[in-house]
Every structure is written in structure tokens, then in C-alpha cells.
Amino acid sequence: MRIIFLGPPGVGKGTQSQRLVEYLGVPQVSTGDMLRQAIHEHSEVGELSEKFLNAGKLVPDPIIIKLVTQRLAQQDASHGYLLDGYPRNLGQAAALDEYLHERETPLDGVLALQVDQEEIVRRLTGRGRDDDRPEIVRERFDQYLRQTAPLAEYYRQRGLLYMIDGTGTTDAVFDRIKSVLEKIRRNHQ
Ligand code: AMP
């Protein structure tokens, strides 16, 4: 299955993605993880991206699109993947559409995890990542609202969007995710 996992920072996407890839048996393609790794390794992508991550801003599209394209071409992604943190804006979504269209490998669905803003702030401030300082958290949330939130509408229009209530225990949220996956499977039959 080829799935996009959408949701604001702090919604619990990371935790759920890990369970989801295990359940589906596909690799998790997390652009945030790939960028943090690149920075750690001081690779060219890392050098180019670091200042954007530290500022809570999006890394420029050409860098990200190339990174993801190379990743999706790897063997382990040939039977599907979970995209976590990508696409992040309409330009990336268009690039992804083109890539998938050329290969005749359409998306199966876009899962959008939702919780209210107060809950997100509460969760984020307890996390302790470098980019979790309050002013950077605000910036990342802002970027999400301006650039990423419009993707929900983009995918809704394509009949691919599935909203998921992200409140409650990890298990409760994961149960909702599983029932959405069942629905997607049924729609394919
Ligand atoms: P994340 O781990 O998904 O919250 O991403 C952490 C940071 O990596 C973001 O704040 C951005 O600076 C950068 N980043 C991750 N994914 C993307 C993307 N698809 N496009 C641009 N920047 C990204």
C-alpha cells in the first residue's frame, strides 16, 4: 500500500507511523528523519538543510523532492511505503503526483490525523527535540497551517482523504487507523 500520513507537528504521527509500518509491512519514509540523519552525517543535503530545520521552516522543494525520489526508487519501497512528513506543500504534492503517475503507482490513501491545537501544544512541549523550543514550535505550526493544511483539500478532491480522530490512547487511535485501512482495502476490491 502507498499511504500518506498527514497531520500537524505533535499530533502523534511518529508513534502511529511506527506501528503502521509494522502492521502494513512497508517502509516508513520520513523526510524529517532523513534530514536529521543527513545533518548528523554532515552530508551535502544535511549542510543545505540544517538552517531550515533549526528555524522551523520548510527545506526548499528541490532538495526534498530529490531526496524522496531517490528513496522511493529503492527496492524496499517497490511494494509500498508510508510517507510521513511528505508532501508538505502543494508543490511537493504536484511533484509526487507526477512521479507516481509516470510509474503507474497511484496512492491508496491519505490519512489525516487530527487533534485540537491545545492538545498539540501540550504534547510538543514535553518532547525535548532541538526544534521543540516554544518559538520554533510556533513557527513549525504556522508553516503547517499555511503550507501543509491545504493538502487535505487537495486530496479530498481526489477522493483519497481519510480523517482520523487522534485523541485518546495510542491503541484507540491505532484501532481507528486500522479500520480506515480496511475501508481502503474494501474500496479497492
Ligand atoms: P518533522 O520531523 O516531519 O517534523 O520535520 C522536521 C523538520 O524537517 C521540519 O520542520 C522541516 O524543517 C524539515 N522537513 C521535513 N519534511 C519536510 C518536507 N517534506 N519539506 C520541507 N521540509 C521538511
Side-chain angles (χ1 to χ4, degrees), residues 15 18 30 34 55-56 99 105 118 124 130 136 178 184:
T15 314
Q18 274 165 21
S30 158
M34 289 163 77
Y99 177 92
T105 52
E118 250 170 62
L124 276 175
D130 277 357
I136 306 298
K178 282 193 289 196
I184 294 174

Side-chain angles (χ1 to χ4, degrees), residues 7-10 13 30-36 39 49-61 64-65 67-68 84-89 92 127 129 131-132 136 139-140 143 148:
K13 222 160 21 93
S30 158
T31 43
D33 285 350
M34 289 163 77
L35 291 169
R36 280 184 288 276
I39 291 168
S49 306
E50 190 166 13
K51 62 174 185 288
F52 296 100
L53 269 87
N54 289 341
K57 306 257 190 219
L58 294 189
V59 172
D61 285 353
I64 291 289
I65 291 168
L67 191 72
V68 172
D84 175 8
Y86 182 89
R88 214 56 163 235
N89 60 28
Q92 294 178 12
R127 218 162 57 161
R129 235 167 62 176
D131 54 354
D132 283 347
I136 306 298
E139 180 58 34
R140 283 171 44 227
Q143 296 269 326
T148 313

